Amino acid sequence: TLAVTCLCALDGAIVSGSEGAGGAGRLVVWSEAAGGTGGRELCALQGGHAAGVGVRCLALVPPCLSLQQEQGEEEEGSFFRGRRDLVLSGGADGLICIWGLHRRDRGDVLLLNILCDVMPVNSLAVRLRGQGQQGRGQELDIYSGCGSNSECCEVRCWSGVPGLGVEQEQGQEQQADDAGFRLRMLPGHSSFVLCLLATCSCWPEGEAEGGLLFSSSGDRTLLVWELGRGQEQHRLLARRDVGMEVGCMAVHKHLLYTGSLDNSLIHCKC
């Protein structure tokens, strides 16, 4: 039996990741439910994570850039035609996969693989930099939280990852070591990074870079980072009890909400 481990909402669709007791998993795009009826499966995203490996987390490139359409593109017909959605998935195999749903009708949805040196990938956050014509020429900063013990305590950030401008040949997906992406570590936690949340995650090129990154860890702390410089701004003790780490976060109207494994919901001003 598969358990749904993560969800990502698109315009008119939902992407789900799942994992089973034996490690098996699926990554599926579903149509939006309408009129009280359930959605239908549009496609399974395959060829990225190792066969049978569970999907642990998903992230969506901000729609302010990714949903732009090229002039003259037709919106009718296939759900995938003319879309500009980039979806990122992290798996138990240590891979971060970047999927371009606009290429679904061509059969080569997988754009890029990034291989982490630690498994599994627990959480992902992403921001876009640059705004070329119709969203081309942009770059991604990808933040990941990995591992399951105290040997992996840093937030990892890959910079310079191509956005919609990447056009790899099918079967020629690159790994980070080959692509020359810039990898930097954000040290601060003393145990594995469990959850990530980025705010103000896209802006036009030339404007001041800003936004915050929140990270929670097995050390029961919650750190606040300034995205532009990658510097720690605040350190909060999220929970005092062992095993009661923050497992999920959300931001709304300058309030940060955290959910913990002890069934508590806490909010604070950010």
Side-chain angles (χ1 to χ4, degrees):
T1 302
L2 294 178
V4 176
T5 54
C6 48
L7 293 171
C8 183
L10 309 178
D11 182 18
I14 295 289
V15 182
S16 67
S18 60
E19 185 173 16
R26 295 188 75 210
L27 189 57
V28 179
V29 182
W30 305 86
S31 66
E32 193 175 61
T37 61
R40 62 184 178 88
E41 181 177 326
L42 296 175
C43 75
L45 303 181
Q46 300 174 334
H49 298 287
V53 167
V55 179
R56 296 290 181 92
C57 53
L58 293 169
L60 174 67
V61 173
C64 55
L65 295 183
S66 64
L67 292 180
Q68 293 192 59
Q69 309 240 336
E70 291 188 349
Q71 187 174 4
E73 280 188 331
E74 296 292 335
E75 297 185 22
E76 298 179 356
S78 168
F79 166 82
F80 300 97
R81 186 173 303 161
R83 297 190 68 87
R84 285 294 176 265
D85 301 292
L86 292 183
V87 176
L88 282 67
S89 61
D93 54 0
L95 278 180
I96 299 172
C97 297
I98 305 177
W99 309 87
L101 299 188
H102 61 293
R103 294 164 58 129
R104 173 62 179 84
D105 291 335
R106 299 189 331 205
D108 54 344
V109 186
L110 179 65
L111 299 181
L112 212 59
N113 272 348
I114 298 177
L115 179 61
C116 298
D117 57 347
V118 178
M119 298 183 291
V121 178
N122 300 316
S123 53
L124 289 170
V126 63
R127 66 170 184 166
L128 266 169
R129 291 193 295 171
Q131 187 171 353
Q133 185 177 6
Q134 298 299 334
R136 301 283 179 174
Q138 61 212 17
E139 290 185 342
L140 308 178
D141 285 349
I142 299 174
Y143 299 85
S144 69
C146 307
S148 58
N149 53 46
S150 59
E151 295 179 0
C152 180
C153 310
E154 306 89 0
V155 176
R156 285 161 163 74
C157 174
W158 283 270
S159 301
V161 181
L164 287 174
V166 59
E167 292 293 338
Q168 304 287 344
E169 294 294 329
Q170 188 172 8
Q172 297 296 317
E173 297 82 18
Q174 291 180 298
Q175 295 181 348
D177 292 342
D178 303 320
F181 307 147
R182 300 180 297 277
L183 172 61
R184 58 175 172 155
M185 304 293 190
L186 305 183
H189 290 294
S190 60
S191 187
F192 62 93
V193 178
L194 182 63
C195 185
L196 293 172
L197 174 66
T199 65
C200 302
S201 49
C202 73
W203 58 87
E205 189 172 8
E207 291 189 5
E209 298 182 2
L212 299 174
L213 177 73
F214 301 89
S215 62
S216 69
S217 167
D219 62 9
R220 305 187 302 284
T221 62
L222 193 154
L223 302 186
V224 185
W225 308 84
E226 194 275 313
L227 278 177
R229 292 172 292 181
Q231 294 182 347
E232 180 184 328
Q233 299 292 304
H234 303 286
R235 175 180 294 266
L236 307 174
L237 180 61
R239 304 297 301 169
R240 295 185 180 276
D241 302 326
V242 176
M244 297 303 173
E245 299 87 359
V246 169
C248 56
M249 296 182 282
V251 168
H252 180 63
K253 293 183 177 179
H254 302 289
L255 287 176
L256 172 67
Y257 296 85
T258 65
S260 301
L261 301 182
D262 61 354
N263 201 32
S264 65
L265 180 66
I266 300 174
H267 71 272
C268 61
K269 193 170 183 179
C270 62

